[in-house]
Amino acid sequence: MGKGKFSIHFRTDKLYITHSEWASEDAYSASAGSGISKSRVAGASFKRLPFNFCAVSLQPFTHPVCTSDGTIFDLTNILPWLKKHGTNPVTGLPLKSSELIKLHFAKNDEGEMVDPVTFKVFTDNTHMVALRNTGNVFAYDTVERLNIKAKMWRDLVSDEEFSRKDIITLQDPQNIEARDLSSFKYIKDGVSTLTEEQELERRDPGRNLNKDALGSAARVLKAKEAVAAARSQRDASNPNYNPALSSSKTLASGVRTGPSPSQSLQPLKTIPYNAAKHTTGKAAASFTSTGLTPHTSSERALLTDEEYMLKPRRVKTKGYARITTSLGELNVELAPEFAPRAVWNFVQLSKKGYYNGVVFHRNIRNFMIQGGDPTGTGKGGQSIWGKNFQDEFEGPATHDVRGVVSMANKGKNTNSSQFFITYRPAKHLDRKHTIFGKVVGGLETLTRLENVEVSESDKRPLEAVEIKDITVFVDPFEEFQKRKKEKDEAEKEKEEIMRNGGTEDDKTTWTGKRIRGNGKADVGGEEEGVGRYLRATAAGFHPGEMEDEVIGEWEQEVTDEPVKKRVKAGGGFGNFDTW
């Protein structure tokens, strides 16, 4: 009896995962478990690129070249990319083929890449550098001992002169983030690096088949390719070739090109405009968990209106706001195209009244003025989401003029509510602070702010300069939603009109006849032309109704009709007398 009680209350040998086990601290799944709500460990997605791999093809290079920042590419892979995009695939910055530096790696008898002086084999943990003017690759220890410390600025292989600026770091074991695959821009954006030939190979599976090993099936494939080539050559040589006519012939020939009746009865699912690239994960989670309701379809996750609008290059309408300070007003133009999160944060906080009464806590003449911290210390502030948000550096805007409005931060991806306005160009702040607007009116107010007396120790204005109010005149996100709503209503109205037969122009042929609901032209009254006589003949001719001109009579000799064969009357088999 006691054994039974023990087995009931303390048994843990179940052959499935219970709901409580999924909800434990060490449970992980696609959309269930406590681990899904916690922030992921920083650097968990780190994937290191080996030193002898091309940063585009992610394969070992054969013709290595590098950029000025030390990123290594294969020449045969980077040239098609530059021809198509013209940017550095890793950073997204503009890059020309003339800026590439050809690298020269020394190898030992076993084909391993080595330092040309010490013959030390290069590994993923070797600090490697290259010289800009010669392209020779050395271990940093060699260059440091024989060139930098000895102050002998000549290439150890070619004896050419170089300077410290010509030393390019290719790999630094202390800075492995530079070779992190997850930080490459083209991988983040999901851009394909395949050439046109590689794309064709993937689209056509037959290009990768060994046709010599297919036997009789190879003859069928070759014949099919020959017919397709002859057809394309014929169409190309015909100047009057029209692809639309060829498709109409296919339909006229009776060949079924559309879906089967069973498929046509099934309504096609339209993808929502706010569908994400990833699925909800419910199918995978329910497949491995008994505590979740089973899901058999991989449905795409839906983004909220906020998540949908906060994608770069989606909302392109400019926004406008007025910052009222104790020294005057500043009119600001907001640019959400490349910094949607920063603009959304600024607009929503302004509408909320978050900045009302907040002082500018830092003012440096010939540099910038900073504010947006309700505590007034420069250490506070919170975004509209209650947490820091990421930087946005994809746009072309730079700190090149007076009046640029940017986000203040404490480092990478630490934007909150603080912002600053520049008094002069500050190019050293580019790609360090997110630019989301510029001053387009009230530059005299900006001059008064710059001339305010400040403390020499912390550059804080001696006389408090505060933001009284921020008025948003044009909210770019509301304008985007308004235009989208109008577009959706127009499309819905157009679909309704087409469902009812179309507009008046759609219901009339080019001859002026009206088309009925069944698709046939309306005859209307009495027809004109040859059709009237054809209809009269089909209905029967009545002499009293219409007179016709007499052309003449057809004279023909009357001939005797041939004698018809007499048919024996009667039927049946008779009485069999003739048998």
Side-chain angles (χ1 to χ4, degrees):
M1 194 69 178
K3 182 178 179 180
K5 291 183 179 179
F6 182 85
S7 61
I8 292 175
H9 295 288
F10 300 94
R11 192 170 72 183
T12 59
D13 57 347
K14 295 180 181 179
L15 299 181
Y16 57 89
I17 302 175
T18 63
H19 179 74
S20 59
E21 289 174 336
W22 271 120
S24 61
E25 288 291 333
D26 56 349
Y28 297 93
S29 68
S31 61
S34 61
I36 198 66
S37 61
K38 294 186 177 181
S39 59
R40 295 186 177 181
V41 180
S45 61
F46 176 83
K47 293 182 181 179
R48 183 173 183 175
L49 180 69
F51 78 95
N52 59 337
F53 275 50
C54 171
V56 175
S57 65
L58 306 182
Q59 299 293 328
F61 52 70
T62 54
H63 303 88
V65 293
C66 75
T67 60
S68 57
D69 59 354
T71 306
I72 303 178
F73 302 103
D74 194 299
L75 187 62
T76 57
N77 295 318
I78 190 61
L79 288 181
W81 175 276
L82 294 179
K83 185 178 180 181
K84 184 177 181 180
H85 301 278
T87 59
N88 189 329
V90 175
T91 61
L93 299 176
L95 180 65
K96 299 180 181 178
S97 58
S98 58
E99 299 174 359
L100 298 176
I101 303 169
K102 186 178 180 180
L103 299 178
H104 303 284
F105 283 90
K107 296 184 178 181
N108 56 16
D109 296 338
E110 298 177 359
E112 298 174 327
M113 299 180 186
V114 298
D115 181 273
V117 178
T118 62
F119 294 98
K120 181 181 178 181
V121 178
F122 290 151
T123 65
D124 291 336
N125 298 319
T126 305
H127 192 174
M128 296 187 303
V129 296
L131 300 184
R132 188 190 306 271
N133 54 346
T134 62
N136 294 325
V137 182
F138 301 89
Y140 180 74
D141 298 337
T142 303
V143 176
E144 183 182 27
R145 284 185 290 134
L146 301 181
N147 292 109
I148 299 176
K149 291 184 177 180
K151 296 183 180 180
M152 197 275 292
W153 302 101
R154 287 188 172 275
D155 193 309
L156 299 175
V157 175
S158 62
D159 201 31
E160 293 184 22
E161 190 174 359
F162 68 97
S163 62
R164 185 184 289 270
K165 296 181 180 180
D166 295 330
I167 301 176
I168 300 175
T169 301
L170 301 180
Q171 178 178 261
D172 186 2
Q174 305 299 327
N175 183 23
I176 59 177
E177 289 81 6
R179 303 191 67 80
D180 184 9
L181 288 175
S182 60
S183 64
F184 289 4
K185 188 176 186 302
Y186 76 95
I187 294 180
K188 289 182 179 179
D189 298 343
V191 180
S192 175
T193 59
L194 300 178
T195 60
E196 294 182 359
E197 296 180 356
Q198 294 172 339
E199 290 285 355
L200 291 175
E201 288 183 359
R202 290 200 173 186
R203 293 174 188 169
D204 185 9
R207 296 170 65 96
N208 298 325
L209 295 177
N210 183 9
K211 298 178 181 178
D212 297 333
L214 293 179
S216 60
R219 294 194 296 270
V220 178
L221 293 177
K222 290 181 181 179
K224 186 177 180 181
E225 292 178 357
V227 171
R231 185 175 298 166
S232 61
Q233 185 177 3
R234 179 196 62 191
D235 296 339
S237 60
N238 184 10
N240 298 324
Y241 170 67
N242 188 353
L245 295 180
S246 62
S247 61
S248 62
K249 291 179 181 179
T250 304
L251 296 175
S253 62
V255 179
R256 174 171 292 180
T257 58
S260 62
S262 60
Q263 292 177 346
S264 61
L265 294 177
Q266 298 177 357
L268 298 176
K269 290 185 178 181
T270 58
I271 300 177
Y273 72 95
N274 58 342
K277 295 182 179 179
H278 58 275
T279 63
T280 57
K282 293 181 179 179
S286 63
F287 180 76
T288 56
S289 173
T290 58
L292 296 177
T293 303
H295 288 78
T296 58
S297 61
S298 297
E299 300 175 353
R300 296 174 66 174
L302 298 181
L303 302 176
T304 62
D305 290 340
E306 178 180 339
E307 293 173 340
Y308 176 76
M309 291 188 296
L310 295 187
K311 295 292 183 181
R313 298 182 178 89
R314 181 155 289 166
V315 180
K316 300 182 179 181
T317 305
K318 300 289 186 180
Y320 294 93
R322 180 180 63 197
I323 304 176
T324 303
T325 68
S326 55
L327 296 181
E329 297 176 349
L330 296 171
N331 295 329
V332 178
E333 181 186 79
L334 306 175
E337 182 176 0
F338 296 102
R341 290 183 176 274
V343 174
W344 175 273
N345 179 67
F346 181 80
V347 169
Q348 299 304 320
L349 291 179
S350 300
K351 289 183 175 181
K352 188 180 176 181
Y354 185 86
Y355 293 117
N356 295 350
V358 176
V359 299
F360 289 101
H361 60 272
R362 191 177 177 208
N363 188 12
I364 303 176
R365 186 172 299 176
N366 292 328
F367 182 31
M368 61 87 201
I369 183 170
Q370 181 178 344
D373 178 13
T375 64
T377 60
K379 300 180 181 180
Q382 199 175 44
S383 70
I384 192 65
W385 300 283
K387 59 181 181 179
N388 296 335
F389 60 95
Q390 61 193 21
D391 298 324
E392 297 168 303
F393 297 145
E394 293 187 8
T398 57
H399 299 82
D400 56 350
V401 294
R402 176 182 175 91
V404 174
V405 185
S406 298
M407 294 299 300
N409 57 44
K410 296 175 287 187
K412 185 178 180 180
N413 298 329
T414 58
N415 301 290
S416 57
S417 64
Q418 297 188 37
F419 63 93
F420 64 92
I421 306 173
T422 60
Y423 290 139
R424 55 171 295 177
K427 299 292 288 183
H428 65 283
L429 300 179
D430 293 344
R431 302 190 65 82
K432 294 181 181 179
H433 297 271
T434 301
I435 301 173
F436 66 93
K438 62 181 179 180
V439 177
V440 294
L443 293 178
E444 61 277 4
T445 302
L446 192 62
T447 303
R448 287 194 292 269
L449 293 173
E450 185 178 8
N451 295 329
V452 171
E453 296 295 333
V454 298
S455 173
E456 292 296 332
S457 58
D458 55 359
K459 300 299 180 181
R460 188 180 185 88
L462 298 177
E463 184 177 342
V465 180
E466 66 177 16
I467 301 174
K468 293 184 177 180
D469 180 42
I470 297 181
T471 304
V472 179
F473 294 113
V474 178
D475 186 347
F477 302 99
E478 289 183 356
E479 293 293 325
F480 177 83
Q481 290 180 330
K482 181 180 178 181
R483 293 182 181 179
K484 187 180 183 307
K485 184 178 180 181
E486 293 175 353
K487 183 179 178 181
D488 294 341
E489 291 177 352
E491 291 179 355
K492 187 176 180 181
E493 183 179 356
K494 185 177 179 181
E495 291 177 359
E496 186 67 24
I497 292 175
M498 297 304 296
R499 192 180 296 111
N500 296 331
T503 60
E504 292 298 324
D505 293 337
D506 296 331
K507 296 179 181 179
T508 308
T509 64
W510 63 276
T511 59
K513 296 179 180 179
R514 185 178 179 83
I515 299 177
R516 294 178 178 176
N518 57 3
K520 296 182 179 180
D522 190 0
V523 178
E526 183 181 358
E527 290 187 357
E528 297 180 359
V530 181
R532 61 185 297 185
Y533 301 105
L534 296 178
R535 288 183 179 277
T537 304
F541 179 73
H542 302 283
E545 294 180 3
M546 182 182 298
E547 296 182 357
D548 197 1
E549 294 180 322
V550 179
I551 303 299
E553 296 182 356
W554 181 266
E555 296 181 357
Q556 185 177 5
E557 297 180 359
V558 179
T559 58
D560 296 335
E561 295 182 356
V563 179
K564 296 183 178 179
K565 186 177 179 178
R566 294 179 62 182
V567 180
K568 186 179 180 179
F573 294 101
N575 55 4
F576 301 98
D577 290 342
T578 60
W579 283 45

